[in-house]
Amino acid sequence: MTSPVHYELVENIGIVTVDNPPVNALSHAVRQGLQDAIRTAQADASKAVLIICEGRTFIAGADITEFGQPPKDPRLDDLVDEIEASKKLVVAAVHGTALGGGFEVALASHYRCALDSARVGLPEVKLGLLPGAGGTQRVPRLAGVSAALDLITSGAPIGASKAAELGLVDKVVTGDLKSAALDYTRELIAANAAPRRASELAVTDVEASVFDEARDKLEKRARGQNAPRRIVDCVEAAVKLPFAEGIELEREMFGESMRDPQSAAMRHLFFAERQAAKVRGLPRDTQCRTIQSVGIIGAGTMGGGIAMSMANAGIPVTILEIDADALEKGLAVVDKNYAGSVKRGKLSASAAAERRRAITGVMDYSAIGDVDLVIEAVFENLELKQEIFAKLDDACKPGAILATNTSYQNVNDIAAATKRPQDVIGLHFFSPAHIMKLLEVVRADKTADDVLATAMALAKRIGKMPVVSGVCYGFIGNRMLRPYMREAQLCLIEGGTPESIDTALYDWGMAMGPLSVGDLAGLDIGYKARQALPENERGDPRASRVPDILVEVGRLGQKSGAGFYRYDPETRKKTSDPAVLEIVEAAAEDLGIKRRTIDSREIVDRLILSLVNEGLRIVEEGIAQRPSDVDVVYVYGYGFPVYRGGPMHYADAIGVDKVLARINEFRDLLGEKNWTPAPLLEKLVTDKSTIADWAMANSD
Ligand code: T1G
């Protein structure tokens, strides 16, 4: 097999070219090839070695697909030490994204040049890992401790010029990288530049408090995650210990992270995100329709946020509202959001103005007759949505895509209100739509392939994480949310308090407790959705009694200053309100429920396993294409902790047999109406299989 690494002596420069598409990952063959090349150069006539990559990027890291397999020599950390020890100058020429182990190869090189469009970074923390090939020891020596802490704990890449500012890149070049890099190497040779080894540099001393401050900050920003803490320990070691001992600690911590279930969960998500973008049965070469203009129906919270998502991606948007007041109010919220981004330094005033200029308000359907895509974002009422789609059918040009942002409604019924159901699709954004990454792309029965392909491509273009869902009430996310919220309400009325329920889930890792989520979204939303359903579809009445009472006494949540909690009108800080417990206890008595002590383990298991159980039904019915899509939905749309990998990965992590046993316990304790195991769960246990095995066996 030909090596993905090619070595050629040109003049007196040994050119090492890595060619391992798609992202030149450091597979075993690449590591072997690099080691062979470095060793060849030590013995030949070269005066310097130039490491460069073919394709769209410099090395984007270790090969994640090799993780969990028995390690093969040369190990990456040994390889980078050998690169740094080279007696011949080593220059790394970076383009695309030099990430993780790839950036560590560059850091072990003696000099680095990068194209001005290049980015470098150490994203290992996003995989529950840490740089394991010297990154935690070399970056502080080259760029200082604060820069190292930021770069490695955030995992966010930086641009070439910023990297140069920090001393991580020595020369930023433009045009053809290879010729610029060869010129730079020739300059170094001509200048008799000596090998410069980062490991020999001293770390500028810092206040010891820097590390405790970083730990405190990470407690908030990466709550529950282990890798960030290990990273701070390693960077601190770079200050306190000689290089060799710091490297020893890094290797130990890297091993710990590799064995940490958190990393297995986050690696699972890495591939789950990429799988989610692939649509089963949709030919890869399906032509997309052109989207150069978008119309939005409704300037409410969702309509405004969706408009900003499009404008932020440079797509002109026309928002249609029925009256001037509503339009003005909606555009004022957009203005306020942009002003807020400028104030927080997230956006320059000129960029905000340019994006705002891309958003226009109108009150006449004829004004959106020529757009390529329309997204309806009015409040949840099927008849109203059908009325609007009938109007869009008349007003919009042939070939325009007609999308609905409904969170629940049957997209087939909405499509049936038009003469072009093949052009209708669901695009379910999550609030706030200009921030939340998740986008449920709802494939209706008659949605055309090119409409679906266009929606998936558009999602990537506006920076969203698309997940395909079939049509059912609430699609993937909200359908699973119903039993989750049901159990939150039942735990409350059976013996809990708003604090005990929310704290249990928050401490377990959810971004926010379920009752606080209800208050944030507005309790009237759920109330109206229940009222719109026939009595027999409203679910367990015990689970809606308390929220119904709260709404009927005007406690709608944050927007009315009180819901399950009371909220400070200025700071929005929430405080407990004994009045709520009185309502809960009275409702329990009224329903003949004898309240009992419910501990946090029961609360967590009832809520999380109800997600798992419903998720497996959704997978079995084919509403979700694959179990890992359910994980992407919950992590990116519902605040499920990334380090638990999502409901499906979590179920495999604790063992589907234990999940089934616990669900059966709840069935016996709480009744089969709410607790009947999903058939797929029972099958997996019978077959002694896992969700991951099932996914593999049923994969594309
Ligand atoms: N290993 C294996 N496969 C990878 C890969 C990697 N590092 N990176 C990407 N792929 C695959 C990916 O699965 C997809 O496959 C295809 O490449 C295109 O990716 C010791 C241990 C580079 C910014 O975390 O962030 O080094 O789906 O769709 O949007 O310190 O990929 O087509 O079959 O994402 O243009 C650290 C991970 C590893 C970088 C390109 N590195 N990659 O984004 O394409 S840990 C990372 C990315 C490490 C050392 C440690 C992105 C990208 P498929 P894509 P993209």
Side-chain angles (χ1 to χ4, degrees):
M1 201 177 75
T2 51
S3 165
V5 178
H6 174 67
Y7 182 76
E8 186 190 6
L9 187 55
V10 176
E11 299 161 17
N12 55 5
I13 300 174
I15 303 180
V16 181
T17 307
V18 179
D19 187 6
N20 182 33
V23 295
N24 290 313
L26 284 155
S27 63
H28 174 248
V30 170
R31 298 194 308 272
Q32 188 63 63
L34 280 170
Q35 186 181 58
D36 296 347
I38 293 291
R39 290 183 177 178
T40 304
Q42 303 311 299
D44 67 12
S46 63
K47 284 213 178 318
V49 176
L50 174 62
I51 301 176
I52 192 164
C53 294
E54 290 292 350
R56 63 180 163 162
T57 181
F58 189 78
I59 303 165
D63 188 332
I64 305 171
T65 61
E66 289 185 354
F67 290 179
Q69 295 167 19
K72 285 191 195 155
D73 288 334
R75 291 164 39 121
L76 180 55
D77 44 11
D78 296 334
L79 172 64
V80 296
D81 290 350
E82 203 168 327
I83 290 172
E84 191 185 62
S86 163
K87 62 179 189 292
K88 308 284 178 83
L89 282 184
V90 180
V91 178
V94 171
H95 75 292
T97 50
L99 302 175
F103 189 36
E104 289 172 300
V105 165
L107 292 169
S109 305
H110 305 139
Y111 296 88
R112 288 157 290 280
C113 68
L115 266 185
D116 54 350
S117 58
R119 294 186 301 148
V120 300
L122 295 167
E124 286 86 346
V125 69
K126 296 182 179 170
L127 298 168
L129 297 171
L130 52 93
T136 69
Q137 303 305 303
R138 290 193 171 89
V139 173
R141 285 172 164 77
L142 288 164
V145 166
S146 303
L149 286 171
D150 285 352
L151 194 68
I152 309 174
T153 59
S154 71
I158 57 175
S161 51
K162 174 77 182 164
E165 250 175 60
L166 292 173
L168 295 169
V169 161
D170 304 294
K171 188 168 176 86
V172 177
V173 298
T174 55
D176 175 62
L177 176 64
K178 191 166 182 180
S179 56
L182 282 169
D183 289 347
Y184 177 50
T185 309
R186 292 189 192 101
E187 279 169 31
L188 290 167
I189 294 171
N192 273 327
R196 199 184 47 164
R197 300 184 175 90
S199 61
E200 294 163 2
L201 297 175
V203 184
T204 346
D205 209 349
V206 293
E207 296 295 315
S209 60
V210 163
F211 299 108
D212 292 339
E213 281 157 22
R215 289 185 181 99
D216 293 348
K217 215 168 58 182
L218 290 165
E219 263 313 304
K220 299 188 191 71
R221 201 185 68 206
R223 189 171 60 88
Q225 296 188 34
N226 300 331
R229 178 178 41 73
R230 295 187 182 117
I231 291 168
V232 177
D233 294 350
C234 289
V235 175
E236 188 171 24
V239 174
K240 295 190 172 157
L241 301 175
F243 183 81
E245 290 175 39
I247 282 288
E248 219 28 65
L249 181 78
E250 181 191 273
R251 286 187 182 173
E252 189 196 316
M253 291 279 181
F254 181 75
E256 227 177 81
S257 302
M258 260 308 207
R259 295 185 295 276
D260 190 329
Q262 292 198 354
S263 180
M266 295 165 85
R267 282 181 261 149
H268 159 77
L269 276 171
F270 175 84
F271 291 110
E273 291 163 28
R274 282 145 187 86
Q275 278 295 93
K278 297 170 185 155
V279 182
R280 183 167 277 173
L282 186 72
R284 276 177 180 252
D285 58 358
T286 303
Q287 287 306 303
C288 293
R289 298 187 191 179
T290 306
I291 305 291
Q292 285 170 333
S293 57
V294 170
I296 294 177
I297 312 298
T301 311
M302 291 310 293
I306 297 169
M308 290 177 71
S309 298
M310 299 297 169
N312 295 353
I315 303 172
V317 189
T318 307
I319 299 188
L320 184 145
E321 252 300 351
I322 44 177
D323 67 52
D325 288 355
L327 186 57
E328 201 181 313
K329 197 159 152 258
L331 293 175
V333 174
V334 171
D335 292 337
K336 191 160 154 269
N337 287 340
Y338 277 128
S341 301
V342 173
K343 195 155 156 251
R344 290 191 304 280
K346 292 250 194 269
L347 207 55
S348 68
S350 59
E354 188 192 339
R355 293 173 184 199
R356 180 60 185 82
R357 272 196 302 277
I359 301 175
T360 319
V362 298
M363 291 189 288
D364 192 323
Y365 274 83
S366 63
I368 55 165
D370 212 28
V371 298
D372 301 317
L373 162 70
V374 181
I375 305 174
E376 163 274 313
V378 302
F379 70 88
E380 287 295 353
N381 177 290
L382 182 57
E383 289 71 36
L384 173 63
K385 291 179 188 287
Q386 290 173 319
E387 208 183 289
I388 288 170
F389 272 71
K391 285 191 184 142
L392 291 173
D393 201 9
D394 297 337
C396 295
K397 69 179 180 184
I401 295 177
L402 309 182
T404 171
N405 177 56
T406 181
S407 309
Y408 291 93
Q409 307 297 344
N410 186 317
V411 182
N412 292 321
D413 294 346
I414 294 173
T418 74
K419 295 182 282 307
R420 47 170 126 176
Q422 73 283 0
D423 296 336
V424 176
I425 192 166
L427 291 180
H428 177 210
F429 289 77
F430 288 75
S431 183
H434 61 294
I435 295 171
M436 293 295 283
K437 276 188 72 84
L438 182 66
L439 178 63
E440 276 184 328
V441 176
V442 184
R443 182 189 212 165
D445 295 354
K446 298 195 174 127
T447 300
D449 280 357
D450 65 339
V451 169
L452 184 56
T454 306
M456 297 302 280
L458 177 71
K460 199 160 185 180
R461 192 169 150 201
I462 63 174
K464 299 296 182 193
M465 185 82 68
V467 174
V468 175
S469 173
V471 172
C472 68
Y473 188 78
F475 317 127
I476 299 172
N478 284 342
R479 175 172 157 184
M480 290 166 68
L481 194 66
R482 289 187 78 195
Y484 176 86
M485 285 302 193
R486 177 199 68 216
E487 288 306 313
Q489 295 301 337
L490 289 176
C491 287
L492 177 65
I493 201 162
E494 289 171 21
T497 66
E499 297 74 18
S500 69
I501 309 289
D502 279 355
T503 307
L505 273 298
Y506 183 79
D507 291 352
W508 184 81
M510 294 299 284
M512 191 184 269
L515 304 180
S516 300
V517 170
D519 276 357
L520 179 68
L523 302 177
D524 53 329
I525 306 284
Y527 183 83
K528 285 188 192 132
R530 282 191 296 280
Q531 300 304 317
L533 287 171
E535 189 86 27
N536 63 348
E537 287 178 32
R538 289 185 190 166
D540 190 325
R542 298 170 303 154
S544 53
R545 176 63 63 88
V546 171
D548 285 355
I549 294 170
L550 291 178
V551 170
E552 283 149 14
V553 297
R555 300 178 70 111
L556 311 183
Q558 286 197 19
K559 58 183 156 187
S560 70
F564 285 100
Y565 300 91
R566 193 159 282 290
Y567 296 87
D568 178 287
E570 301 305 313
T571 64
R572 293 252 167 162
K573 190 166 175 323
K574 76 176 181 191
T575 49
S576 302
D577 187 343
V580 174
L581 199 50
E582 285 162 23
I583 290 172
V584 172
E585 288 166 346
E589 193 173 336
D590 191 37
L591 289 164
I593 296 171
K594 190 161 172 357
R595 286 171 55 80
R596 60 185 175 89
T597 305
I598 302 186
D599 65 17
S600 57
R601 181 168 168 266
E602 176 180 347
I603 295 169
V604 168
D605 283 356
R606 284 173 66 171
L607 275 74
I608 299 300
L609 297 188
S610 67
L611 280 182
V612 170
N613 204 34
E614 194 64 26
L616 287 168
R617 290 182 196 289
I618 284 172
V619 167
E620 194 165 24
E621 293 166 19
I623 298 290
Q625 298 188 96
R626 52 187 80 86
S628 59
D629 285 7
V630 171
D631 292 339
V632 173
V633 165
Y634 258 74
V635 167
Y636 287 96
Y638 295 82
F640 196 97
V642 65
Y643 58 86
R644 291 188 189 274
M648 300 292 105
H649 178 85
Y650 174 71
D652 267 351
I654 59 176
V656 286
D657 53 339
K658 293 196 180 54
V659 170
L660 180 60
R662 190 68 165 145
I663 288 178
N664 286 337
E665 246 180 71
F666 289 146
R667 183 196 53 208
D668 301 341
L669 178 71
L670 306 163
E672 65 183 15
K673 184 164 177 313
N674 292 339
W675 287 101
T676 298
L680 177 55
L681 178 59
E682 292 183 311
K683 180 174 177 344
L684 293 173
V685 175
T686 312
D687 300 351
K688 295 197 174 7
S689 177
T690 68
I691 298 171
D693 297 339
W694 184 90
M696 191 65 83
N698 293 274
S699 70
D700 318 21

